[in-house]
């Protein structure tokens, strides 16, 4: 009958924490891989225009961005062009495109796309000047960034 009695002084074994550092570093490594850090601070404010027939860029390593808009935190109403993290004028775009091609691999340089992120209030004269400068730099693949138009805003 002694074998049916329960012993009340049993302790619950402690949790084995030996694999916890491996798990933490695995999760940390995963988030480091999938997180995209913005390397260029945007110094112009822009509200992207809306469109209906939009496609996503497939290879982002071959994309170079040009931002056009009003300066952030300034009362200046003049439209400015931002290349990397500096304000520039239209004449410096060909040199910028050449330096961007130089930092890319030859495969990415062949497929280089210039994405223009312009404020929807930007006049077409500025956009045309940028396009002419891109033509001088032999950057013929141009993408205009836009937001998807909601079905209620027609």
């Amino acid at each position: 009958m002694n074998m049916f009695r329960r012993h009340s002084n049993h302790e619950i074994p402690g949790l084995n924490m030996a694999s916890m550092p491996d798990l933490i570093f695995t999760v940390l490594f995963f988030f480091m891989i999938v997180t995209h850090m913005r390397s260029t601070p945007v110094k112009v404010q822009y509200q992207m225009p809306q469109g209906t027939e939009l496609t996503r860029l497939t290879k982002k390593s071959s994309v170079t961005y040009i931002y056009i808009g009003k300066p952030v935190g300034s009362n200046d109403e003049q439209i400015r062009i931002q290349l990397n993290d500096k304000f520039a004028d239209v004449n410096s775009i060909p040199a910028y495109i050449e330096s961007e091609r130089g930092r890319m691999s030859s495969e990415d340089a062949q497929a280089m796309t210039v994405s223009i992120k312009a404020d929807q209030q930007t006049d077409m004269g500025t956009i045309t000047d940028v396009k002419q400068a891109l033509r001088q730099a032999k950057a013929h693949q141009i993408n205009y960034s836009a937001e998807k138009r909601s079905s209620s805003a027609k």
Side-chain angles (χ1 to χ4, degrees):
M1 281 312 226
N2 209 3
M3 67 179 168
F4 291 113
R5 268 195 287 168
R6 296 192 178 210
H7 298 287
S8 61
N9 58 358
H10 284 281
E11 291 184 22
I12 298 175
L15 187 59
N16 186 0
M17 300 295 283
S19 64
M20 186 63 76
D22 293 337
L23 179 66
I24 289 171
F25 284 117
T26 303
V27 171
L28 178 66
F29 185 71
F30 170 76
F31 283 114
M32 286 172 54
I33 295 294
V34 299
T35 302
H36 174 69
M37 303 299 283
R38 179 184 296 263
S39 60
T40 304
V42 179
K43 296 181 178 181
V44 295
Q45 59 186 2
Y46 61 93
Q47 183 177 6
M48 288 192 284
Q50 296 181 345
T52 55
E53 303 298 322
L54 305 177
T55 58
R56 291 201 179 271
L57 292 172
T58 54
K59 191 170 185 182
K60 297 212 177 192
S61 63
S62 63
V63 177
T64 300
Y65 295 96
I66 296 178
Y67 301 95
I68 304 173
K70 296 175 185 166
V72 173
S74 173
N75 293 335
D76 188 11
E77 293 294 315
Q78 182 181 2
I79 298 293
R80 303 290 302 265
I81 299 170
Q82 179 185 342
L83 307 175
N84 279 341
D85 58 347
K86 298 177 188 155
F87 290 123
D89 60 348
V90 176
N91 298 329
S92 59
I93 290 177
Y96 168 70
I97 295 298
E98 281 304 312
S99 68
E100 288 293 303
R101 273 197 189 115
R103 73 165 182 80
M104 292 180 183
S105 67
S106 62
E107 180 181 301
D108 285 345
Q110 293 280 333
M112 180 181 189
T113 301
V114 178
S115 180
I116 298 175
K117 292 190 171 195
D119 186 59
Q120 65 184 3
Q121 301 299 323
T122 303
D123 59 311
M124 280 307 293
T126 304
I127 300 293
T128 303
D129 292 343
V130 169
K131 284 174 45 178
Q132 292 296 334
L134 290 172
R135 188 174 295 157
Q136 273 183 333
K138 295 182 178 45
H140 300 295
Q141 291 181 330
I142 301 173
N143 172 292
Y144 300 98
S145 296
E147 294 176 339
K148 186 155 182 79
R149 180 179 294 170
S150 63
S151 60
S152 62
K154 288 188 178 181

